[in-house]
């Protein structure tokens, strides 16, 4: 990874973000609204945790055929992704509540989703939100040799088939969190002295990671074994749960950034990015299915990625309204506002983009 930190241009016309920020501030002021979550988010939290945990307690309490057992684990995976997108995400952005302890508590739900707060905040809040779609800095673009997400990434022959095999790899996202990713990220981030907010001693970070992993595997592996569920069913159910959540989360995030319409800016010789940070977000991010109630509800507003990237500390329950302001302001300033009308259109664009990136560069 390139360790030279990109610098966003300070020479761009700042009219866009100044105007946008003023309009969004006026929206909340005129409507007497808090920027954080409200009763809708609180109710949704109950719904998502119910979907996530109810099947877990049912499979612990009842003996059932394997197909029912696996079906319940699919539902758990759906709930797992739902909690991550709606509760954990807002919490770790400080957008769930005006009270910091509530945000920490809700953000801490990542521990039962297989992740780690410190790693997620550095990888997502710091690297992804700051250096969106910049290869070598935004780790969402990093997939080793097996996937090629940008034209700048090295091409290998296996990439010719990545639009076919990618979905199978996407399902490993949260499974890798649980097994290896958290340990590798923590080692890397601590070595670079990266942090989001308070910098704690490495010993505290490692201790927290180890203890939470022990608790996690006790809940999802040990407890079912103790309740008499066969080990192979436990392992199979664990994989099904993670695969379901992994596919959902990966696809949702990929539709926002890895599509033909979005760009992958490259720093110039001085390490400077062409646009200011706010305008950079418009060129590197896309929305999808903005008018679809179910998509809006279930994805925690992550289909409104443009609004989320410009205002990460505003709860997703407000994105539908401020999207109108963002789009209008972008159009007035003659800036892009990438948006797919449907999820289907975004999925087609993503996999076509993977296919194009998989072609040998000289014949692409």
């Amino acid at each position: 990874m390139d360790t030279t930190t990109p610098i966003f241009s300070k020479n761009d016309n700042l009219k866009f973000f100044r105007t946008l920020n003023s309009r969004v501030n006026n929206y909340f002021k005129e409507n007497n609204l808090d920027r954080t979550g409200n009763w809708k988010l609180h109710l949704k939290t109950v719904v998502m945790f119910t979907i996530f945990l109810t099947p877990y307690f049912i499979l612990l309490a009842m003996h059932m055929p394997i197909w029912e057992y696996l079906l319940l684990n699919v539902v758990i995976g759906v709930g797992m992704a739902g909690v991550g997108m709606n509760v954990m995400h807002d919490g770790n952005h400080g957008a769930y509540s005006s009270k910091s302890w509530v945000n920490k508590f809700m953000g801490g739900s990542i521990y039962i989703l297989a992740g780690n707060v410190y790693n997620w905040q550095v990888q997502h809040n710091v690297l992804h939100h700051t250096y969106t779609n910049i290869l070598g800095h935004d780790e969402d673009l990093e997939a080793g040799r097996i996937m090629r997400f940008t034209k700048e990434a090295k091409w290998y022959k296996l990439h010719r088939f990545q639009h076919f095999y990618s979905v199978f790899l996407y399902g490993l996202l949260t499974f890798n969190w649980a097994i290896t990713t958290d340990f590798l990220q923590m080692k890397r981030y601590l070595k670079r002295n990266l942090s989001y907010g308070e910098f704690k001693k490495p010993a505290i970070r490692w201790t927290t990671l180890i203890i939470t992993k022990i608790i996690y595997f006790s809940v999802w592996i040990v407890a079912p074994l103790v309740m008499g569920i066969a080990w192979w069913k436990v392992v199979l159910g664990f994989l099904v749960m993670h695969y379901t959540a992994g596919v959902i989360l990966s696809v949702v995030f990929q539709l926002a950034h890895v599509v033909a319409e979005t760009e992958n800016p490259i720093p110039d010789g001085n390490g400077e990015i062409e646009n200011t940070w706010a305008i950079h977000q418009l060129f590197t991010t896309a929305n999808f299915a903005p008018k679809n109630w179910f998509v809006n509800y279930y994805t925690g507003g992550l289909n409104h990625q443009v609004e989320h990237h410009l205002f990460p500390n505003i709860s997703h329950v407000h994105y539908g309204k401020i999207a109108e302001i963002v789009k209008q302001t972008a159009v007035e300033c003659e800036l892009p506002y990438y948006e797919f009308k449907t999820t289907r259109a975004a999925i087609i664009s993503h996999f076509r983009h993977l296919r194009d990136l998989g072609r040998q560069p000289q014949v692409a």
Side-chain angles (χ1 to χ4, degrees), residues 28 51 66 71 80 105 110-111 117 120 141 150 159 165 177 181-182 220 240 272 285 301 308 311:
F28 283 102
I51 297 172
I66 184 63
L71 181 59
M80 178 180 175
F105 182 77
I110 195 173
Y111 292 123
V117 169
W120 193 90
L141 299 177
T150 74
H159 293 149
Y165 63 71
W177 281 1
T181 302
D182 275 331
W220 296 105
V240 168
E272 186 170 310
T285 310
H308 173 59
F311 299 100

Side-chain angles (χ1 to χ4, degrees), residues 23-39:
R23 289 175 176 177
V24 170
N25 287 337
N26 287 337
Y27 165 77
F28 283 102
K29 184 177 180 179
E30 291 171 1
N31 291 280
N32 195 28
L33 296 172
D34 289 329
R35 291 172 172 250
T36 52
N38 52 27
W39 67 269

Side-chain angles (χ1 to χ4, degrees), residues 178-179 183 212-224 238:
I179 305 298
F183 295 94
T212 53
K213 289 297 182 184
I214 291 173
I215 294 173
Y216 177 79
F217 284 105
S218 296
V219 170
W220 296 105
I221 300 294
V222 177
F238 186 76

Side-chain angles (χ1 to χ4, degrees), residues 73 77 80 113-114 170-178 216 220 237-247:
N73 277 282
M80 178 180 175
L113 304 178
Y170 288 168
L172 300 177
L173 174 68
T174 58
F175 180 76
N176 286 337
W177 281 1
Y216 177 79
W220 296 105
F238 186 76
L239 293 174
V240 168
M241 171 187 75
H242 274 290
Y243 193 83
T244 302
V247 167

